[in-house]
Amino acid sequence: MSVRSAGVFCLSLFMLGATTAPAMANETAGTAPALVPLEIEILSDDAPAIPHFMADAAWPDMPAEFIIGQVPGLAVDKEDNVWLVHRPQSLTFSDVGLAQSPPQALCCKPGPDVMKFSASGAYLDGWKGERNWPGTIHGIYVDDDQTVWLGGNGDGDHVVYNYTADGEFIRQVGTRGKTDGNASTDKLGNPADIWRGLGKVFIADGYINKRIAGFEEEALGFTGAWGAYGADPLGGTRQGSFDQSQASSNADGGANPTSTAFGDIVHCVVGSDDGHVYVCDRRNNRAQMFRINEAGGLDFVRDIVIAPETGGTRTVTDIAFSPDGAFVYVADMMNSVIWILDRTTHEPVARIGRVGRYPGEFTWLHSVDVDSEGNIYTSEVGTGRRVQKLVFMGMHPAPE
């Protein structure tokens, strides 16, 4: 996918005509926004008006004693609350001195594995499920019934769990410690992501297997499995347990955006209200777009290739949509940017962010989601270990 740079520039509140911070989207009090310019690169002189953002350096209002580790999943629910899952085991002894017995420092202790914040950043709730909790959690989705779905990609984490909003176990797909390849109808292989909608549950099955697995919404009966281009899953399975070093290795020969098989990390599955499903084929630097057919299967629509020459941790890690459906936001881990695509053409019109550790910059960018006001939320793993809110500042140039 070719793009043409029209220069890099930073937007300030003044440039966007704003003189005050935007109103909070939730009545629950958080801290006042602290807006910071965000680097943006326009990729076409002919680009239409596009959404612009500033990073809120004060979001979220984390409880004073809490600290979070790697954040491998983030989701916005229908009430614009923001849910995250983090990995307490990624924190070191010097991070969690307060949690030692006796305490070794003034701060801190790990926050609950699952945490819920208001759109304004106020901490609302937190919990950890008690039923065979994943050793290494990966991915979270909150459905319209306000139930929480999550999976894991650690040793033996071959299950997707479904919990109530309060952390009570409801049901699961798969069996911990057991995996049985891409053709299995009842077992998973390190699932990475979940989407429930339009009467279906789709799982990006994902770190051991190389497929999208489909299930009935209520009974969770198996409905099918799909590989690249909607064909039967190809490419075999990962041998042995996944470890993080494999996420950045180039030993596979590099990305192949025309591969007939998904790469060895099928990283996201994201549905849209108009019956499309997007799949992140991260190691091949592409997403694939499908349409749900009348039988509930997936028909291939198109490839969406992002920075195909990229190595290391590669590009497409997660996908979200603007509230009006006009734009697609693609999280790119290695390049540490969010690509803004025109959803009509799926061509990139801009990219935002850069590598770094300051507000509006990213390190191991992992997840992206959007609330009803158009604000973007992101999460980071590796040494990033944080979440950010990118506040929607309007369209630029503004429509006449």
Side-chain angles (χ1 to χ4, degrees), residues 316-366:
V316 182
T317 59
D318 203 6
I319 290 171
F321 311 101
S322 61
D324 61 4
F327 297 95
V328 182
Y329 302 122
V330 179
D332 177 339
M333 180 177 283
M334 188 66 181
N335 294 305
S336 296
V337 299
I338 297 171
W339 298 82
I340 301 176
L341 278 56
D342 182 320
R343 195 169 175 218
T344 301
T345 64
H346 289 88
E347 291 291 325
V349 294
R351 64 188 183 202
I352 57 177
R354 52 154 288 168
V355 173
R357 299 183 183 275
Y358 297 104
E361 301 174 347
F362 306 107
T363 298
W364 286 65
L365 175 62
H366 197 267

Side-chain angles (χ1 to χ4, degrees), residues 47-167:
I50 60 174
H52 284 276
F53 302 88
M54 297 188 79
D56 183 355
W59 196 96
D61 186 11
M62 188 74 66
E65 72 275 19
F66 284 170
I67 190 170
I68 57 174
Q70 296 177 6
V71 186
L74 177 147
V76 179
D77 69 21
K78 66 180 182 181
E79 297 176 354
D80 279 349
N81 296 312
V82 182
W83 296 71
L84 64 87
V85 288
H86 81 110
R87 296 169 176 163
Q89 73 271 24
S90 66
L91 295 165
T92 69
F93 78 95
S94 61
D95 297 315
V96 293
L98 184 61
Q100 308 304 313
S101 181
Q104 302 296 306
L106 298 175
C107 195
C108 298
K109 62 183 180 181
D113 292 46
V114 178
M115 303 177 75
K116 178 183 176 183
F117 295 86
S118 72
S120 63
Y123 176 69
L124 302 178
D125 195 11
W127 47 266
K128 175 180 178 178
E130 297 300 325
R131 186 184 179 94
N132 293 327
W133 195 252
T136 304
I137 202 165
H138 194 290
I140 184 171
Y141 178 74
V142 183
D143 61 29
D144 285 345
D145 292 336
Q146 296 291 79
T147 77
V148 179
W149 301 75
L150 52 88
N153 68 337
D155 188 11
D157 290 335
H158 304 311
V159 183
V160 161
Y161 296 103
N162 185 206
Y163 289 88
T164 69
D166 297 324

